[in-house]
PDB file of all heavy atoms in Angstrom:
ATOM      1  N   CYS L  94      45.198 149.384  91.257  1.00  0.00           N
ATOM      2  CA  CYS L  94      45.329 149.846  89.875  1.00  0.00           C
ATOM      3  C   CYS L  94      46.401 150.930  89.813  1.00  0.00           C
ATOM      4  O   CYS L  94      46.472 151.806  90.684  1.00  0.00           O
ATOM      5  CB  CYS L  94      43.979 150.405  89.420  1.00  0.00           C
ATOM      6  SG  CYS L  94      44.031 151.242  87.816  1.00  0.00           S
ATOM      7  N   LEU L  95      47.232 150.894  88.803  1.00  0.00           N
ATOM      8  CA  LEU L  95      48.295 151.882  88.633  1.00  0.00           C
ATOM      9  C   LEU L  95      47.711 153.285  88.478  1.00  0.00           C
ATOM     10  O   LEU L  95      48.293 154.261  88.954  1.00  0.00           O
ATOM     11  CB  LEU L  95      49.162 151.525  87.423  1.00  0.00           C
ATOM     12  CG  LEU L  95      50.399 152.375  87.186  1.00  0.00           C
ATOM     13  CD1 LEU L  95      51.354 152.297  88.365  1.00  0.00           C
ATOM     14  CD2 LEU L  95      51.103 151.941  85.917  1.00  0.00           C
ATOM     15  N   LEU L  96      46.553 153.394  87.863  1.00  0.00           N
ATOM     16  CA  LEU L  96      45.906 154.694  87.684  1.00  0.00           C
ATOM     17  C   LEU L  96      44.983 155.047  88.848  1.00  0.00           C
ATOM     18  O   LEU L  96      44.349 156.095  88.835  1.00  0.00           O
ATOM     19  CB  LEU L  96      45.096 154.714  86.385  1.00  0.00           C
ATOM     20  CG  LEU L  96      45.902 154.657  85.090  1.00  0.00           C
ATOM     21  CD1 LEU L  96      44.978 154.659  83.882  1.00  0.00           C
ATOM     22  CD2 LEU L  96      46.888 155.808  85.010  1.00  0.00           C
ATOM     23  N   GLY L  97      44.898 154.151  89.826  1.00  0.00           N
ATOM     24  CA  GLY L  97      44.051 154.427  90.983  1.00  0.00           C
ATOM     25  C   GLY L  97      42.578 154.166  90.758  1.00  0.00           C
ATOM     26  O   GLY L  97      41.739 154.595  91.551  1.00  0.00           O
ATOM     27  N   GLN L  98      42.246 153.450  89.696  1.00  0.00           N
ATOM     28  CA  GLN L  98      40.842 153.146  89.400  1.00  0.00           C
ATOM     29  C   GLN L  98      40.306 152.149  90.415  1.00  0.00           C
ATOM     30  O   GLN L  98      40.960 151.155  90.731  1.00  0.00           O
ATOM     31  CB  GLN L  98      40.689 152.581  87.984  1.00  0.00           C
ATOM     32  CG  GLN L  98      41.162 153.499  86.890  1.00  0.00           C
ATOM     33  CD  GLN L  98      40.333 154.766  86.811  1.00  0.00           C
ATOM     34  OE1 GLN L  98      39.111 154.738  86.894  1.00  0.00           O
ATOM     35  NE2 GLN L  98      41.010 155.893  86.676  1.00  0.00           N
ATOM     36  N   GLU L  99      39.118 152.413  90.919  1.00  0.00           N
ATOM     37  CA  GLU L  99      38.516 151.538  91.925  1.00  0.00           C
ATOM     38  C   GLU L  99      38.118 150.188  91.339  1.00  0.00           C
ATOM     39  O   GLU L  99      38.267 149.157  91.979  1.00  0.00           O
ATOM     40  CB  GLU L  99      37.301 152.231  92.542  1.00  0.00           C
ATOM     41  CG  GLU L  99      36.738 151.496  93.726  1.00  0.00           C
ATOM     42  CD  GLU L  99      35.603 152.253  94.384  1.00  0.00           C
ATOM     43  OE1 GLU L  99      35.418 153.455  94.110  1.00  0.00           O
ATOM     44  OE2 GLU L  99      34.893 151.627  95.178  1.00  0.00           O
ATOM     45  N   PHE L 100      37.620 150.192  90.111  1.00  0.00           N
ATOM     46  CA  PHE L 100      37.139 148.952  89.493  1.00  0.00           C
ATOM     47  C   PHE L 100      37.983 148.629  88.269  1.00  0.00           C
ATOM     48  O   PHE L 100      37.586 148.863  87.141  1.00  0.00           O
ATOM     49  CB  PHE L 100      35.667 149.074  89.096  1.00  0.00           C
ATOM     50  CG  PHE L 100      34.773 149.384  90.253  1.00  0.00           C
ATOM     51  CD1 PHE L 100      34.242 150.654  90.426  1.00  0.00           C
ATOM     52  CD2 PHE L 100      34.491 148.411  91.198  1.00  0.00           C
ATOM     53  CE1 PHE L 100      33.434 150.938  91.510  1.00  0.00           C
ATOM     54  CE2 PHE L 100      33.684 148.687  92.289  1.00  0.00           C
ATOM     55  CZ  PHE L 100      33.155 149.965  92.439  1.00  0.00           C
ATOM     56  N   CYS L 101      39.161 148.099  88.502  1.00  0.00           N
ATOM     57  CA  CYS L 101      40.060 147.706  87.420  1.00  0.00           C
ATOM     58  C   CYS L 101      40.338 146.224  87.596  1.00  0.00           C
ATOM     59  O   CYS L 101      40.754 145.790  88.670  1.00  0.00           O
ATOM     60  CB  CYS L 101      41.347 148.516  87.481  1.00  0.00           C
ATOM     61  SG  CYS L 101      42.498 148.149  86.146  1.00  0.00           S
ATOM     62  N   SER L 102      40.096 145.449  86.560  1.00  0.00           N
ATOM     63  CA  SER L 102      40.304 143.994  86.625  1.00  0.00           C
ATOM     64  C   SER L 102      40.552 143.480  85.214  1.00  0.00           C
ATOM     65  O   SER L 102      40.496 144.245  84.253  1.00  0.00           O
ATOM     66  CB  SER L 102      39.059 143.314  87.221  1.00  0.00           C
ATOM     67  OG  SER L 102      37.955 143.490  86.347  1.00  0.00           O
TER      68      SER L 102
END
Side-chain angles (χ1 to χ4, degrees):
C94 171
L95 186 60
L96 292 179
Q98 300 295 317
E99 188 176 346
F100 301 105
C101 182
S102 65

